[in-house]
Amino acid sequence: SLTGANREYLVLSPYALLSGAEYLVQVTATSKILRTTGTAEFTLVTNGAPALGSCISAPETGQALKTEFRLKCRGWVDEDTPLKYSYSSYNNASKEWSLISYAQPKAFKDTLLAAPSNGTTLLIRATIYDALDATT
């Protein structure tokens, strides 16, 4: 923890807990005045990311600013609905990601892709969010 073992509050480092995991938390407190100790425990379940789906581009290849691509995801499941879908492109030359669409409720996006540098390939990434913003 970031706070140590002998503090009033417990603060964990970001990403210290695994997605979709179950933890048993036990807290022990001691009263120096009453000279007694008490213990409490509870189960903490972390939110899991959407799983089991796939995403495709149709067509798989084309020309920037000319070919309309349909980016489509399907089969994703999560108990925290509705799901949202974001799409980004990666330019190998500039080493930068560009957002195509952010957190839309539709599982598909029709788009023309921006023109990269000559001879450069754009890679496409889909990110799926559940209602609590856990992502794939």
Side-chain angles (χ1 to χ4, degrees), residues 31-46:
S31 170
K32 292 180 181 179
I33 296 170
L34 299 175
R35 295 183 185 180
T36 59
T37 299
T39 301
E41 64 182 38
F42 63 94
T43 301
L44 174 70
V45 180
T46 59

Side-chain angles (χ1 to χ4, degrees), residues 5-109:
N6 298 314
R7 302 281 187 213
E8 185 177 345
Y9 299 100
L10 174 66
V11 178
L12 299 175
S13 300
Y15 307 106
L17 304 178
L18 297 175
S19 173
E22 189 173 295
Y23 295 89
L24 178 64
V25 179
Q26 186 178 53
V27 179
T28 302
T30 302
S31 170
K32 292 180 181 179
I33 296 170
L34 299 175
R35 295 183 185 180
T36 59
T37 299
T39 301
E41 64 182 38
F42 63 94
T43 301
L44 174 70
V45 180
T46 59
N47 184 28
L52 303 176
S54 64
C55 297
I56 60 168
S57 170
E60 290 184 16
T61 62
Q63 291 184 323
L65 299 176
K66 292 183 180 179
T67 306
E68 184 173 70
F69 292 89
R70 174 162 277 204
L71 310 175
K72 185 175 182 180
C73 295
R74 63 179 165 199
W76 292 94
V77 294
D78 192 282
E79 62 186 40
D80 301 308
T81 57
L83 300 182
K84 298 173 286 187
Y85 303 84
S86 292
Y87 301 96
S88 303
S89 64
Y90 181 76
N91 185 321
N92 284 332
S94 67
K95 307 289 187 220
E96 293 180 353
W97 285 99
S98 297
L99 193 60
I100 297 169
S101 70
Y102 176 71
Q104 299 299 312
K106 292 192 287 187
F108 69 91
K109 174 69 178 172

Side-chain angles (χ1 to χ4, degrees), residues 103-118:
Q104 299 299 312
K106 292 192 287 187
F108 69 91
K109 174 69 178 172
D110 294 326
T111 187
L112 294 174
L113 297 176
S117 305
N118 287 341

